[in-house]
Amino acid sequence: MVPELIRLLAYLVTAFYTGILCILLGLAILTAQMQWAWSFIPHWWARGVLFIFRVKVSRCGPDSRTLGPAIFVMNHQSFIDMCLVPHIMPNKTRYIAKKELAKVPLWGAVVGRAGLILIDRKDRHKAILNIQEGMKSLPEGYSVVVFPEGTRSVDGEMKRFKMGAVHMAIASGLPVVPIGMDGAKAINPGQSLIPRPGVVEVTVGKPIITTDWKIENAREHLDLMWHAVNELHLTSRRRYEAKRGGIRKGAWCSSPCGDIPDTLE
């Protein structure tokens, strides 16, 4: 009973904290400072939410925050991923969102001013056009993050990727940075909106050069991305299970991390 009350209190504190940041975003809209605000507020919001719910992030591999501009592709396990992503991404990062968000009062204004790439998930052809247009308008030096599975994994296992990330890479020529994580499912199981304390393991891979990618080989490029992310996902899972079993931190931090120790935040 007590742990549930603590989690509920943390949820209320998070709602209050989020409300304050939404007010700041509203002020940014009025003062035409949306781009600047969107570069920093999501990051600090994510750090605050993870701290409130006592969720730690254990990173292994290159620091993803220094690898932009790039297209970051990663697996998707739970609602907590929304907090995880801004925490591990460069400040100058754009996000993919469904077009319906633009119709939400107030939030729709934020989405429009922030330059999010809105896609029509019900129409594949329109979604591809949305992505191509979004990448053309991407400011210089900005990155994009995408969950190629399209939705959260029900069982924690990776699903097939959709083609969106490939079209982004071909349209922009930006490198693809694969990221695999594990542990988020246990922190935020099912449809629960209140996370449990825990650790999310994140393994970052080396950038994949895409300047020579062609649309004719789209399926081949997609398979390459899937295998890269899945390998990192499994590496994160081994580290997650090793730590739960009491093995020292970093024991499973092998390829592709090499001798780089994992960092707990």
Side-chain angles (χ1 to χ4, degrees), residues 133-166:
E133 293 172 359
M135 295 308 293
K136 288 180 181 178
S137 62
L138 188 70
E140 185 176 354
Y142 272 71
S143 299
V144 178
V145 60
V146 59
F147 296 111
E149 294 166 283
T151 187
R152 298 184 305 278
S153 172
V154 176
D155 56 7
E157 301 298 328
M158 273 182 47
K159 308 304 180 187
R160 293 179 59 183
F161 282 3
K162 299 183 183 299
M163 280 289 183
V166 174

Side-chain angles (χ1 to χ4, degrees), residues 38-249:
W38 194 258
S39 295
F40 293 96
I41 288 180
H43 174 73
W44 289 106
W45 171 79
R47 287 181 66 101
V49 173
L50 293 174
F51 174 78
I52 291 170
F53 284 109
R54 295 182 293 160
V55 175
K56 300 291 185 180
V57 180
S58 179
R59 294 184 295 106
C60 183
D63 187 346
S64 52
R65 293 169 294 191
T66 66
L67 296 179
I71 298 172
F72 294 91
V73 295
M74 59 190 297
N75 58 311
H76 191 10
Q77 290 192 333
S78 76
F79 283 122
I80 200 65
D81 298 349
M82 292 189 299
C83 304
L84 176 69
V85 167
H87 179 62
I88 65 174
M89 291 295 135
N91 285 336
K92 292 183 176 181
T93 298
R94 289 282 174 84
Y95 301 88
I96 306 296
K98 56 184 179 181
K99 69 173 187 177
E100 288 78 8
L101 287 180
K103 300 178 182 179
V104 178
L106 182 60
W107 183 246
V110 172
V111 166
R113 296 290 185 90
L116 272 69
I117 300 176
L118 303 176
I119 62 173
D120 186 344
R121 298 197 301 180
K122 298 179 181 178
D123 189 319
R124 180 176 176 274
H125 179 66
K126 287 184 178 180
I128 293 175
L129 292 177
N130 295 152
I131 288 171
Q132 292 173 340
E133 293 172 359
M135 295 308 293
K136 288 180 181 178
S137 62
L138 188 70
E140 185 176 354
Y142 272 71
S143 299
V144 178
V145 60
V146 59
F147 296 111
E149 294 166 283
T151 187
R152 298 184 305 278
S153 172
V154 176
D155 56 7
E157 301 298 328
M158 273 182 47
K159 308 304 180 187
R160 293 179 59 183
F161 282 3
K162 299 183 183 299
M163 280 289 183
V166 174
H167 288 287
M168 290 180 194
I170 293 175
S172 65
L174 292 174
V176 168
V177 176
I179 299 177
M181 67 168 178
D182 197 61
K185 191 71 177 177
I187 289 174
N188 208 186
Q191 298 298 315
S192 173
L193 293 176
I194 306 180
R196 302 170 179 172
V199 177
V200 180
E201 296 288 342
V202 177
T203 309
V204 182
K206 296 179 180 178
I208 301 171
I209 303 303
T210 67
T211 50
D212 60 346
W213 280 18
K214 304 295 182 183
I215 192 64
E216 297 81 24
N217 302 320
R219 178 59 59 181
E220 178 182 333
H221 304 323
L222 190 68
D223 290 341
L224 175 64
M225 282 197 301
W226 189 92
H227 285 291
V229 174
N230 190 53
E231 179 183 352
L232 298 167
H233 162 58
L234 295 177
T235 298
S236 292
R237 173 168 294 179
R238 290 193 294 268
R239 292 169 56 230
Y240 178 76
E241 293 176 349
K243 292 176 184 179
R244 290 185 65 186
I247 298 177
R248 66 180 177 84
K249 186 170 75 170

